[in-house]
Amino acid sequence: MKALLFTCMLVPWLVAASAKRFDQDSQLIPGSLHGRELRGYFSDHLNLRRARRALPLADKPDDSPIPEGGDAADLPTCLLCVCLTGSVYCEEVSPDMTTVPTLPKETAYLYARFNKIKKISTKDFAGIVTLKRIDLTGNLISEIEDGAFAKLTLLEELSLAENRLVKLPMLPAKLTHFNANNNLLKTRGVKANAFKKMTKLVNLFLGDNQLEAVPFIPDSVRILHLQNNNITDVNIDTFCRSNDTYYLRPSLNEVRLDGNPVVLSKYPDSFTCMKVLPVGRYR
């Protein structure tokens, strides 16, 4: 009878201790998560495990320690970055990432923002013909070799914003979105016909640079940002055509020229083909 009584007293204690140990191991505090949040926790955990299983074996991160003072170039890309099917996320990588990482062959989307990449060479994207979007915002890029993007025939979106570029390389003809805001670009660093063959370009962002003139703008462009440059004048051929009085630009519905020295009211004939007037200084 005493043994039976002892067993009855011991079982609840073991159950409680086991539950407490489970809570400690899982880092879940009893009563802190409602049913919906708890389901969300396990759902997120399951999705993460599935994502890790979807990675190629060679790209699965190991638990090897990162040597102090090491270079990101010495480590496997998918240890430094998050690699999901077709996408690579390398943002604010530590140790410092100073070059474009070696990408899996099937990469379509690269996000390598806020690192310390200084140069883009022709070999960085060689063989990665599947790329559709590259975002290199917030690096230290001051040089891009001509031809670095030449073979990226599927590339549609390219962001080089917040870098140190003084000139633009040759750009892929099929781009629909190009962002080079907040660089050191001057007119001599942007070829006169840099955008002429880009007949699918919709968004063109060149604000907060040092441009002295408006470059050639393709008819396809809908949003044009040139704010905070050093543009001093425009003429009838900047947006319209002096030899065609019937020419119209119905697609261009947003133009920013604010923060430039140019006084737009001095050039009233320069905007007759447009359905909206540029944002900027008029007096």
Side-chain angles (χ1 to χ4, degrees), residues 159-223:
S159 179
L160 301 171
E162 299 177 40
N163 278 284
R164 299 179 179 180
L165 292 172
V166 295
K167 70 174 185 177
L168 292 181
M170 182 174 62
L171 298 169
K174 291 186 178 180
L175 281 183
T176 61
H177 177 100
F178 179 65
N179 188 347
N181 281 344
N182 289 284
N183 275 278
L184 304 172
L185 294 171
K186 295 186 177 182
T187 296
R188 66 172 179 266
V190 181
K191 295 177 181 178
N193 296 326
F195 308 108
K196 189 170 186 178
K197 294 182 179 180
M198 299 170 66
T199 58
K200 296 184 178 181
L201 189 62
V202 174
N203 301 319
L204 178 57
F205 301 133
L206 296 170
D208 295 278
N209 279 284
Q210 300 172 20
L211 298 172
E212 297 92 359
V214 178
F216 177 87
I217 308 299
D219 288 349
S220 58
V221 171
R222 297 179 185 176
I223 299 177

Side-chain angles (χ1 to χ4, degrees), residues 263-283:
V263 180
L264 299 176
S265 59
K266 292 182 178 180
Y267 311 95
D269 295 335
S270 298
F271 315 116
T272 55
C273 65
M274 301 165 57
K275 65 179 183 180
V276 295
L277 288 174
V279 176
R281 180 183 172 197
Y282 283 88
R283 62 179 182 179

Side-chain angles (χ1 to χ4, degrees), residues 14-124:
L14 289 174
V15 171
S18 176
K20 183 177 180 181
R21 186 165 59 253
F22 173 79
D23 290 332
Q24 291 173 343
D25 291 342
S26 63
Q27 297 181 348
L28 294 177
I29 301 173
S32 66
L33 293 178
H34 298 294
R36 182 178 302 173
E37 294 172 335
L38 188 60
R39 288 194 298 273
Y41 171 85
F42 287 112
S43 175
D44 291 344
H45 181 65
L46 180 59
N47 289 336
L48 177 60
R49 293 189 63 183
R50 286 174 177 170
R52 288 172 66 90
R53 286 200 300 268
L55 295 176
L57 289 176
D59 289 337
K60 286 187 178 180
D62 58 28
D63 295 322
S64 302
I66 297 174
E68 187 174 352
D71 192 293
D74 299 330
L75 297 172
T77 296
C78 294
L79 175 60
L80 291 167
C81 310
V82 176
C83 298
L84 301 175
T85 305
S87 300
V88 178
Y89 300 85
C90 305
E91 302 190 353
E92 297 184 280
V93 171
S94 179
D96 292 342
M97 178 177 286
T98 58
T99 60
V100 175
T102 302
L103 300 174
K105 291 291 184 181
E106 73 280 3
T107 303
Y109 304 97
L110 170 64
Y111 303 89
R113 298 177 289 197
F114 310 113
N115 290 295
K116 295 185 179 180
I117 299 171
K118 299 177 181 179
K119 179 180 178 180
I120 307 297
S121 67
T122 54
K123 66 179 182 180
D124 287 334

Side-chain angles (χ1 to χ4, degrees), residues 251-268:
S251 297
L252 191 58
N253 53 38
E254 182 180 322
V255 180
R256 287 192 59 183
L257 285 167
D258 47 306
N260 284 279
V262 60
V263 180
L264 299 176
S265 59
K266 292 182 178 180
Y267 311 95

